[in-house]
Amino acid sequence: MRTVLSIHLPENPYKRLDSFAKETGRNKSDVVRESVNFYLWEKRFEKAKSKIKPLAKKAGVIAEEDVFEHVS
């Protein structure tokens, strides 16, 4: 099921969106849809990281190298 969403953008972001869509051969709706999905994914990822961070510190995982060491 699809739902229609109407948004209002200031002129400058709208022009950048329009230019980007034309440069990539896509329509503005596709670009906005992908951007919203990516934004929501990032927020979920940040939330997961904040929950895991205290557990990782307790386990001695502080840097990326520590992660690779534990995974290897």
Side-chain angles (χ1 to χ4, degrees):
M1 178 177 153
R2 291 189 171 226
T3 304
V4 175
L5 172 67
S6 177
I7 63 169
H8 296 272
L9 292 174
E11 187 175 349
N12 190 33
Y14 178 83
K15 285 181 178 179
R16 291 189 319 212
L17 171 62
D18 191 50
S19 293
F20 181 79
K22 287 177 183 171
E23 287 170 15
T24 59
R26 299 163 63 205
N27 64 50
K28 292 182 286 287
S29 291
D30 288 340
V31 173
V32 171
R33 186 178 309 108
E34 184 178 318
S35 298
V36 168
N37 282 327
F38 182 72
Y39 176 82
L40 294 174
W41 178 87
E42 277 193 322
K43 291 300 174 186
R44 285 192 309 269
F45 186 68
E46 287 174 14
K47 186 177 180 180
K49 282 191 336 187
S50 70
K51 287 182 179 180
I52 293 171
K53 200 171 192 176
L55 301 171
K57 282 186 178 181
K58 282 183 183 178
V61 177
I62 297 172
E64 283 185 23
E65 294 82 19
D66 300 330
V67 173
F68 293 118
E69 191 175 303
H70 283 285
V71 172
S72 299

